[in-house]
Amino acid sequence: MQNIRVEESRIAQPIGATLDRFIKNNQDHFQYASGELSQLLRDIALASKVVNREVNKAGLIDIMGSLGSQNMAGDSQQKLDVLANIRFTRALMKGGEACALISEEAESYVDLNNEGRYVIAIDPLDGSSNIDVNVSIGTIFSIYRRKSPVGKPIQDIDILQKGSEQVAAGYILYGSSTMLVYTTGFGVNGFTYEPSLGEYFLSHPNMRMPEDGKIYSINAGLANSFSESVKQYVQYCKDQKYTARYIGSLVADFHRNLLKGGIYIYPATAKDPNGKLRLMYECNALAFIAEQAGGKASTGHERVLDIEPRNLHERVPFYVGSKKMVEKAEQL
Ligand code: FDP
């Protein structure tokens, strides 16, 4: 009897549209040949399921730990970082819609298919220092239209585009559940992965970031090397009795603040005078999502999406989150 009730209540749960159906139903919003972008999003979702499977078995097979090498950003490469990079590269290569891939794990961009119309920038596995300790990690991606003619080799103008030129962006959070959150410039939607069905289902339609919040996320261990203005802002947060929360996984900290309201800051420090985070495959995507959800993203001085990138692995100070909190930090 008890079991029947449990089953009945499960059946009664409303279940959201699958990611595939949602993408299909919403593709008319998109001003270009929409089927291609939809296919790209599906390729990314598929690769994320494979990565999710690997992340979930990480303690059981020998894929944790460092490779002993460094990536382009100078971070120590983890086995799972490299594996995730291979999974996403392969999915995008096979899909055929992308002409180039910019990745945290590769010095230069990867040429994919001259017939492809899209350029992808990706951090295949962000928060790598959390991999070994079973703490949430993520994938971040940006999608751009190429500017040079299709069928010809890609050029710098295709690669070094401003964040405001993104046509879609998203992230996957491998956390207590796995979620895919994305925007194509018409709001932000979140999907939760149902592992037994192997599908993402719409669980967070039309996500909005609270305009103000009470959570601040910053690595307080670096406080001695913050500028006076950042110190002042942190002091302001303490005076307001805000809550400090720092997971040290950008996607996880961002996602929490998106849902609950808050600010994430990675400022310039003595060690990293331009901040630590990478413009092209970390900050731009999250800035686009934040703005689409009613939040804000800034370097402290300018809108992140307005920055003209000078190179693939450029770093910028990053202030992202609830609009009023970012504005306050900018004022100081
Ligand atoms: P990680 O180096 O572990 O990959 O993207 C870099 C990043 O993590 C972010 O995910 C995270 O928010 C930040 O760096 C943590 O840096 P600190 O350890 O310097 O705070």
Side-chain angles (χ1 to χ4, degrees), residues 157-231:
I157 48 162
D158 300 317
I159 300 294
L160 294 177
Q161 299 195 43
K162 287 196 288 194
S164 57
E165 291 170 297
Q166 291 169 99
V167 292
Y171 61 81
I172 295 110
L173 172 62
Y174 311 96
S176 46
S177 59
T178 295
M179 278 195 72
L180 187 151
V181 174
Y182 82 95
T183 181
T184 54
F186 297 91
V188 179
N189 290 284
F191 299 78
T192 301
Y193 185 58
E194 216 298 12
S196 63
L197 299 175
E199 283 278 12
Y200 283 103
F201 290 94
L202 179 64
S203 52
H204 295 64
N206 193 20
M207 299 171 87
R208 303 296 300 165
M209 189 175 249
E211 214 187 359
D212 207 352
K214 291 186 185 323
I215 297 175
Y216 67 105
S217 318
I218 188 166
N219 184 345
L222 302 173
N224 286 347
S225 69
F226 292 164
S227 66
E228 279 314 307
S229 51
V230 175
K231 284 182 187 162

Side-chain angles (χ1 to χ4, degrees), residues 82-100:
V82 174
L83 216 69
N85 192 42
I86 294 171
R87 297 297 183 214
F88 282 103
T89 309
R90 238 185 237 164
L92 292 166
M93 206 177 255
K94 282 197 179 145
E97 317 294 349
C99 55

Side-chain angles (χ1 to χ4, degrees), residues 71 75-76 78 81 104 123 125-131 136-138 140 218-222 246-253 264-266 269 271-272 276-278 281-282 315:
N71 63 20
D75 302 326
S76 134
Q78 307 291 308
D81 282 338
E104 180 181 31
D123 182 349
L125 212 52
D126 177 72
S128 27
S129 55
N130 280 323
I131 293 174
S136 302
I137 45 184
I140 308 173
I218 188 166
N219 184 345
L222 302 173
Y246 190 72
I247 299 169
S249 263
L250 175 60
V251 174
D253 279 311
Y264 173 97
I265 304 179
Y266 208 110
T269 61
K271 179 167 165 263
D272 292 307
K276 177 184 176 191
L277 302 183
R278 274 61 59 136
Y281 40 81
E282 293 182 314
R315 297 169 193 263

